[in-house]
Amino acid sequence: MAIEGHNALNNIEIIMKVLKFGGTSVGSVESLQNVKSIVESQAEPTIVVVSALGGVTNQLIEMTRMALDHNEAYASTLEQVRQRHLDIIERLIDADKQSQCRAVVEQFIENLRSFYQTLCINSDLDATFVKRVSDAIVCHGEIMSSAIVAALIAGATPHYSPSFIKTTDGPQGTVLAADLTRRLIQEQLGSLDERCMVLQGFIAQDADASYATTLGRGGSDFTAALVAAALHASCLEIWTDVDGFMTADPRTHPDATVIPTMTYAQAQAMCDAGAKVIYPPTLAPVAALDIPVWVKNTFNPTATGTVIRG
Ligand code: ADP
Ligand code: ASP
Ligand code: MG
């Protein structure tokens, strides 16, 4: 039975942690090999939250634009997306799981094809319908990447985030249904005795009407924080492509250095000022429970990284 902050595994109270891997971390064969070894070497049970393969969310959005412009060139981008996923499956997934994993990806590519066809061949579509279809499309990036990561990690089981990450539509747009989400995470994941659960970041579902929604661009960090907070995880690890939270964006400031320790307030201030390394809404749910957040580099896993705490 799950008890506050702990998951029961074989009748032993074991603390669980949440690891989130961003787009670059799941974007290539080499980085996915690192993801596999990072997760499989964890001593305690883990919940792994994944983004879409790096660049795929942008491609899905771009294809939506093309289809709405009645530009059939979306089909060649879709074929690139398909080939990229299938290539990773062929190179990384064990032979006994390959055909099932390939079939899953092919099915989602077919779903995408029919969504894009609908947008491409019809004119004067209702704006709400276009918004719903666009959101359903963009969710496919995380759905496909999570199928691959779940097949890649030994003993991992896939879970579907929209069954517990719920949103509502208010005057300001889509907002998280926070209490419902926390309760559903606890009900659906809190009592499972699983060594490693893999779920999609970013994607969600409307609490009343069940249509696809998202937590906003970069929202996978937020999904991971919501799960970590609801289950009182021992820590949240944000695995990305830099050695930690840095004094500035290293892409524009090559002299930036890693900040070893930060308070939630310091990190929040930098995120609010545009430090893309953590999506701004992420810190509040974990800070409220004093759950430490680590920022670590998938491409340099032995680097200490940054710890953010109270
Ligand atoms: P992910 O796909 O893993 O979510 P993001 O691209 O969202 O990764 O965030 C990581 C990027 O954030 C880094 O590659 C870096 O360019 C950028 N970044 C901006 N500000 C900072 C900062 N202060 N410290 C570290 N990285 C930063
Ligand atoms: N894939 C989504 C995006 O590119 C969410 C994320 O990566 O956090 O915005
Ligand atoms: Mg990010």
Side-chain angles (χ1 to χ4, degrees), residues 161-213:
S161 297
S163 68
F164 45 83
I165 305 287
K166 300 290 182 182
T167 59
T168 53
D169 266 341
Q172 265 87 48
T174 306
V175 291
L176 179 76
D179 292 343
L180 176 62
T181 295
R182 183 173 49 250
R183 181 168 61 72
L184 291 174
I185 294 170
Q186 288 168 349
E187 283 174 9
Q188 294 180 31
L189 304 182
S191 60
L192 298 178
D193 286 354
E194 291 177 1
R195 171 84 200 145
C196 174
M197 306 183 208
V198 175
L199 44 104
Q200 310 81 21
F202 175 61
I203 73 175
Q205 194 176 64
D206 181 76
D208 302 314
S210 296
Y211 52 79
T213 59

Coordinates of all heavy atoms in Angstrom, one line a residue, residues 161-213:
S161 N -0.2 9.7 -19.7 CA -0.4 10.9 -18.8 C -1.8 11.6 -18.9 O -2.3 12.0 -17.9 CB 0.7 11.9 -19.2 OG 1.9 11.4 -18.9
P162 N -2.4 11.7 -20.1 CA -3.7 12.3 -20.1 C -4.8 11.7 -19.3 O -5.8 12.3 -19.0 CB -4.1 12.3 -21.6 CG -2.7 12.3 -22.3 CD -1.9 11.4 -21.5
S163 N -4.5 10.5 -18.8 CA -5.5 9.9 -17.9 C -5.4 10.5 -16.5 O -6.3 10.3 -15.7 CB -5.5 8.3 -17.9 OG -4.3 7.9 -17.3
F164 N -4.3 11.2 -16.2 CA -4.3 11.8 -14.9 C -3.8 13.3 -14.9 O -4.0 14.0 -13.9 CB -3.4 11.0 -13.9 CG -2.1 10.5 -14.5 CD1 -1.0 11.3 -14.6 CD2 -2.0 9.2 -15.0 CE1 0.2 10.9 -15.1 CE2 -0.8 8.8 -15.5 CZ 0.3 9.6 -15.6
I165 N -3.3 13.8 -16.0 CA -2.9 15.2 -16.1 C -4.1 15.9 -16.8 O -4.3 15.7 -18.0 CB -1.6 15.4 -16.9 CG1 -0.5 14.6 -16.4 CG2 -1.3 17.0 -17.0 CD1 0.1 15.1 -15.1
K166 N -4.9 16.7 -16.0 CA -6.1 17.2 -16.5 C -6.1 18.7 -16.5 O -5.5 19.4 -15.6 CB -7.3 16.8 -15.6 CG -7.4 15.3 -15.5 CD -8.0 14.7 -16.8 CE -8.1 13.2 -16.7 NZ -8.6 12.5 -18.0
T167 N -6.7 19.3 -17.5 CA -6.8 20.8 -17.6 C -8.3 21.2 -17.8 O -9.2 20.4 -18.0 CB -6.1 21.2 -18.9 OG1 -6.7 20.6 -20.0 CG2 -4.6 20.9 -18.9
T168 N -8.5 22.5 -17.6 CA -9.8 23.1 -17.8 C -9.6 24.3 -18.7 O -8.5 24.9 -18.7 CB -10.5 23.5 -16.6 OG1 -9.7 24.3 -15.8 CG2 -10.9 22.3 -15.7
D169 N -10.6 24.7 -19.5 CA -10.5 25.9 -20.3 C -11.2 27.0 -19.6 O -12.4 27.0 -19.3 CB -11.1 25.6 -21.7 CG -10.1 25.2 -22.7 OD1 -8.9 25.4 -22.4 OD2 -10.5 24.6 -23.7
G170 N -10.4 28.0 -19.3 CA -10.9 29.2 -18.6 C -10.8 30.4 -19.5 O -10.3 30.3 -20.7
P171 N -11.1 31.6 -19.0 CA -11.1 32.8 -19.9 C -9.6 33.1 -20.3 O -9.4 33.7 -21.4 CB -11.6 33.9 -19.0 CG -12.0 33.3 -17.7 CD -11.7 31.8 -17.7
Q172 N -8.6 32.7 -19.5 CA -7.2 32.9 -19.9 C -6.7 31.8 -20.7 O -5.4 31.7 -20.9 CB -6.4 33.1 -18.6 CG -6.2 34.5 -18.2 CD -7.3 35.0 -17.3 OE1 -7.7 34.3 -16.4 NE2 -7.8 36.2 -17.6
G173 N -7.5 30.8 -21.1 CA -7.0 29.7 -21.9 C -6.9 28.4 -21.0 O -7.6 28.3 -20.0
T174 N -6.1 27.5 -21.5 CA -6.0 26.2 -20.8 C -5.3 26.3 -19.5 O -4.1 26.8 -19.5 CB -5.3 25.2 -21.7 OG1 -6.0 25.2 -23.0 CG2 -5.3 23.8 -21.1
V175 N -5.9 25.8 -18.4 CA -5.2 25.8 -17.1 C -5.2 24.4 -16.5 O -6.1 23.7 -16.7 CB -5.7 26.9 -16.1 CG1 -5.5 28.3 -16.5 CG2 -7.2 26.6 -15.9
L176 N -4.2 24.2 -15.7 CA -4.2 22.9 -15.0 C -5.3 22.7 -14.0 O -5.6 23.7 -13.2 CB -2.8 22.7 -14.3 CG -2.6 21.4 -13.5 CD1 -2.3 20.3 -14.4 CD2 -1.6 21.6 -12.4
A177 N -6.0 21.6 -14.0 CA -6.9 21.3 -12.9 C -6.1 20.6 -11.8 O -6.0 19.4 -11.8 CB -8.0 20.3 -13.5
A178 N -5.6 21.4 -10.9 CA -4.5 21.0 -10.0 C -5.0 19.9 -9.0 O -4.3 18.9 -8.9 CB -3.9 22.2 -9.3
D179 N -6.1 20.1 -8.4 CA -6.5 19.2 -7.3 C -6.9 17.8 -8.0 O -6.5 16.8 -7.5 CB -7.7 19.8 -6.6 CG -7.3 20.9 -5.7 OD1 -6.1 21.1 -5.5 OD2 -8.2 21.7 -5.3
L180 N -7.6 17.9 -9.1 CA -8.0 16.7 -9.8 C -6.8 15.9 -10.2 O -6.7 14.7 -10.1 CB -8.9 17.0 -10.9 CG -9.4 15.9 -11.8 CD1 -10.2 14.8 -11.0 CD2 -10.1 16.4 -13.0
T181 N -5.8 16.6 -10.8 CA -4.6 16.0 -11.3 C -3.9 15.3 -10.2 O -3.5 14.1 -10.3 CB -3.7 17.1 -12.0 OG1 -4.4 17.5 -13.2 CG2 -2.4 16.5 -12.4
R182 N -3.7 16.0 -9.0 CA -3.0 15.4 -7.9 C -3.7 14.1 -7.4 O -3.1 13.1 -7.2 CB -2.9 16.4 -6.7 CG -2.1 15.8 -5.6 CD -1.8 16.9 -4.5 NE -3.1 17.6 -4.1 CZ -3.3 18.9 -4.4 NH1 -2.4 19.6 -5.0 NH2 -4.5 19.4 -4.0
R183 N -5.0 14.2 -7.3 CA -5.8 13.0 -6.9 C -5.6 11.8 -7.9 O -5.4 10.7 -7.5 CB -7.3 13.4 -6.7 CG -8.1 12.3 -6.2 CD -9.5 12.7 -5.7 NE -10.3 13.4 -6.7 CZ -10.9 12.7 -7.7 NH1 -10.7 11.4 -7.9 NH2 -11.6 13.4 -8.6
L184 N -5.7 12.1 -9.2 CA -5.7 11.1 -10.1 C -4.3 10.4 -10.2 O -4.1 9.2 -10.4 CB -6.1 11.6 -11.5 CG -7.6 12.0 -11.7 CD1 -7.8 12.6 -13.0 CD2 -8.4 10.7 -11.5
I185 N -3.2 11.3 -10.0 CA -1.9 10.7 -10.0 C -1.7 9.7 -8.9 O -1.2 8.6 -9.0 CB -0.8 11.8 -9.9 CG1 -0.8 12.7 -11.2 CG2 0.6 11.2 -9.7 CD1 0.1 13.9 -11.1
Q186 N -2.2 10.2 -7.7 CA -2.1 9.3 -6.5 C -2.9 8.0 -6.7 O -2.4 7.0 -6.4 CB -2.6 10.1 -5.3 CG -1.6 11.2 -4.9 CD -2.1 12.2 -3.8 OE1 -3.3 12.2 -3.5 NE2 -1.2 13.0 -3.3
E187 N -4.1 8.2 -7.3 CA -5.0 7.0 -7.4 C -4.4 6.0 -8.5 O -4.4 4.8 -8.3 CB -6.4 7.4 -7.9 CG -7.3 7.9 -6.8 CD -8.6 8.5 -7.4 OE1 -8.9 8.3 -8.6 OE2 -9.3 9.1 -6.6
Q188 N -3.9 6.6 -9.6 CA -3.5 5.7 -10.7 C -2.1 5.2 -10.6 O -1.7 4.2 -11.1 CB -3.7 6.4 -12.0 CG -5.2 6.7 -12.3 CD -5.4 7.4 -13.6 OE1 -4.7 7.2 -14.6 NE2 -6.5 8.2 -13.7
L189 N -1.2 6.0 -10.0 CA 0.2 5.6 -9.9 C 0.7 5.3 -8.5 O 1.7 4.5 -8.3 CB 1.2 6.7 -10.5 CG 0.9 7.2 -11.9 CD1 1.9 8.2 -12.3 CD2 0.9 6.0 -12.9
G190 N 0.0 5.8 -7.5 CA 0.6 5.8 -6.2 C 0.7 4.4 -5.5 O 1.5 4.2 -4.7
S191 N -0.2 3.5 -6.0 CA -0.1 2.2 -5.3 C 0.5 1.1 -6.2 O 0.4 -0.1 -5.9 CB -1.5 1.8 -4.9 OG -2.3 1.7 -6.1
L192 N 1.1 1.5 -7.3 CA 1.6 0.5 -8.2 C 3.0 0.1 -7.8 O 3.8 0.9 -7.4 CB 1.7 1.0 -9.7 CG 0.4 1.4 -10.3 CD1 0.6 2.0 -11.7 CD2 -0.5 0.2 -10.4
D193 N 3.2 -1.2 -7.7 CA 4.6 -1.7 -7.4 C 5.4 -2.0 -8.6 O 5.7 -3.1 -9.0 CB 4.4 -3.1 -6.6 CG 3.9 -2.9 -5.2 OD1 3.8 -1.7 -4.8 OD2 3.6 -3.9 -4.6
E194 N 5.8 -0.9 -9.3 CA 6.5 -1.0 -10.5 C 7.9 -0.4 -10.4 O 8.0 0.6 -9.8 CB 5.7 -0.4 -11.7 CG 4.4 -1.2 -12.0 CD 3.6 -0.6 -13.1 OE1 4.0 0.5 -13.7 OE2 2.5 -1.1 -13.4
R195 N 8.8 -1.1 -11.0 CA 10.2 -0.7 -10.9 C 10.5 0.6 -11.7 O 11.2 1.5 -11.3 CB 11.1 -1.8 -11.4 CG 12.5 -1.6 -11.6 CD 13.3 -1.8 -10.3 NE 14.6 -1.1 -10.5 CZ 15.2 -0.5 -9.5 NH1 14.7 -0.5 -8.3 NH2 16.3 0.1 -9.7
C196 N 9.8 0.7 -12.8 CA 10.1 1.9 -13.7 C 8.8 2.2 -14.5 O 8.4 1.3 -15.3 CB 11.3 1.7 -14.6 SG 11.5 3.0 -15.8
M197 N 8.2 3.3 -14.3 CA 7.1 3.7 -15.1 C 7.5 4.8 -16.1 O 8.3 5.7 -15.7 CB 5.9 4.3 -14.3 CG 5.5 3.4 -13.1 SD 4.2 4.2 -12.3 CE 4.4 3.6 -10.6
V198 N 7.1 4.7 -17.4 CA 7.4 5.7 -18.4 C 6.2 6.4 -18.8 O 5.2 5.8 -19.1 CB 8.1 5.0 -19.6 CG1 8.3 6.1 -20.7 CG2 9.4 4.4 -19.2
L199 N 6.2 7.7 -18.7 CA 5.0 8.5 -19.2 C 5.4 9.7 -19.9 O 6.5 10.2 -19.9 CB 4.1 8.8 -18.0 CG 4.7 9.3 -16.7 CD1 4.5 10.8 -16.6 CD2 4.1 8.5 -15.5
Q200 N 4.4 10.3 -20.6 CA 4.6 11.4 -21.5 C 4.6 12.7 -20.7 O 3.7 12.9 -20.0 CB 3.6 11.5 -22.6 CG 3.3 10.2 -23.4 CD 2.4 9.3 -22.6 OE1 1.6 9.7 -21.7 NE2 2.4 8.0 -23.0
G201 N 5.6 13.6 -21.0 CA 5.5 14.9 -20.5 C 4.6 15.7 -21.4 O 4.1 15.2 -22.4
F202 N 4.2 17.0 -21.0 CA 3.6 17.9 -21.8 C 2.1 17.7 -22.2 O 1.3 18.6 -22.2 CB 4.4 18.0 -23.1 CG 3.9 18.9 -24.3 CD1 3.8 20.2 -24.1 CD2 3.7 18.3 -25.5 CE1 3.4 21.1 -25.2 CE2 3.3 19.1 -26.6 CZ 3.1 20.5 -26.4
I203 N 1.7 16.4 -22.3 CA 0.4 16.2 -22.9 C -0.6 16.0 -21.8 O -0.3 15.5 -20.7 CB 0.3 15.1 -23.9 CG1 0.5 13.7 -23.3 CG2 1.5 15.2 -24.9 CD1 0.3 12.5 -24.3
A204 N -1.9 16.4 -22.1 CA -2.9 16.4 -21.0 C -4.3 16.2 -21.7 O -4.3 15.9 -22.9 CB -2.9 17.7 -20.3
Q205 N -5.3 16.3 -20.9 CA -6.7 16.1 -21.4 C -7.6 17.0 -20.7 O -7.5 17.2 -19.5 CB -7.0 14.6 -21.1 CG -8.2 14.1 -21.9 CD -8.5 12.6 -21.6 OE1 -8.7 12.3 -20.4 NE2 -8.3 11.8 -22.6
D206 N -8.6 17.5 -21.4 CA -9.6 18.3 -20.8 C -10.4 17.5 -19.7 O -10.8 16.4 -20.0 CB -10.6 18.9 -21.8 CG -11.6 19.8 -21.2 OD1 -11.3 21.0 -20.8 OD2 -12.8 19.4 -21.0
A207 N -10.6 18.1 -18.6 CA -11.2 17.3 -17.5 C -12.6 16.9 -17.7 O -13.1 15.9 -17.3 CB -11.1 18.1 -16.2
D208 N -13.4 17.8 -18.5 CA -14.8 17.5 -18.7 C -15.0 16.8 -20.0 O -15.8 15.8 -20.1 CB -15.6 18.8 -18.7 CG -15.4 19.6 -17.4 OD1 -15.5 18.9 -16.4 OD2 -15.1 20.8 -17.5
A209 N -14.4 17.3 -21.1 CA -14.8 16.8 -22.4 C -13.7 15.8 -23.0 O -13.9 15.3 -24.1 CB -15.0 17.9 -23.4
S210 N -12.6 15.6 -22.3 CA -11.6 14.6 -22.7 C -10.9 14.8 -24.0 O -10.3 13.9 -24.5 CB -12.3 13.2 -22.8 OG -12.7 12.8 -21.5
Y211 N -11.0 16.1 -24.5 CA -10.2 16.3 -25.7 C -8.7 16.6 -25.3 O -8.5 16.9 -24.2 CB -10.8 17.5 -26.6 CG -11.0 18.7 -25.8 CD1 -10.0 19.6 -25.5 CD2 -12.4 19.1 -25.5 CE1 -10.3 20.8 -24.8 CE2 -12.6 20.2 -24.8 CZ -11.6 21.1 -24.5 OH -11.8 22.2 -23.8
A212 N -7.8 16.4 -26.3 CA -6.4 16.5 -26.0 C -6.0 18.0 -25.7 O -6.5 18.9 -26.4 CB -5.6 16.0 -27.2
T213 N -5.2 18.2 -24.7 CA -4.7 19.5 -24.4 C -3.2 19.4 -24.1 O -2.7 18.2 -24.1 CB -5.4 20.2 -23.2 OG1 -5.2 19.4 -22.1 CG2 -6.9 20.4 -23.5

